[in-house]
Amino acid sequence: MDEKSIKQRKRPGDWRLTAEVLGKTIEACRQAYYHKEGRAYETVRDTLIKVIEAREALVRQLKED
């Protein structure tokens, strides 16, 4: 998923869930993500992508039921 796609698809709750999964604060995750370099950026980005994909899959599944 590229940066433009992440920006378009993320929702406010995605930051909270990403922070919870990583055991960091929301602000620390945002700073790492927008800094765009280093291991912290990669970890936050990968987790954020997984959160977005899981949320979208859950919404699709619930709509089908």
Side-chain angles (χ1 to χ4, degrees):
M1 188 180 308
D2 65 359
E3 299 303 316
K4 184 177 179 181
S5 182
I6 291 172
K7 185 176 180 178
Q8 291 174 339
R9 294 166 62 181
K10 76 176 167 21
R11 301 290 180 260
D14 294 342
W15 281 122
R16 188 187 65 74
L17 194 53
T18 299
E20 187 175 332
V21 167
L22 295 176
K24 299 182 178 205
T25 65
I26 294 169
E27 190 58 33
C29 289
R30 283 185 182 145
Q31 286 179 354
Y33 180 77
Y34 290 118
H35 193 60
K36 301 239 186 265
E37 63 180 43
R39 187 176 304 193
Y41 163 72
E42 293 294 329
T43 302
V44 169
R45 183 179 183 279
D46 293 344
T47 305
L48 183 59
I49 289 170
K50 290 176 185 174
V51 166
I52 291 168
E53 290 172 345
R55 176 185 39 78
E56 290 174 344
L58 178 62
V59 169
R60 274 193 308 274
Q61 180 183 3
L62 291 174
K63 282 184 176 182
E64 291 174 0
D65 290 346

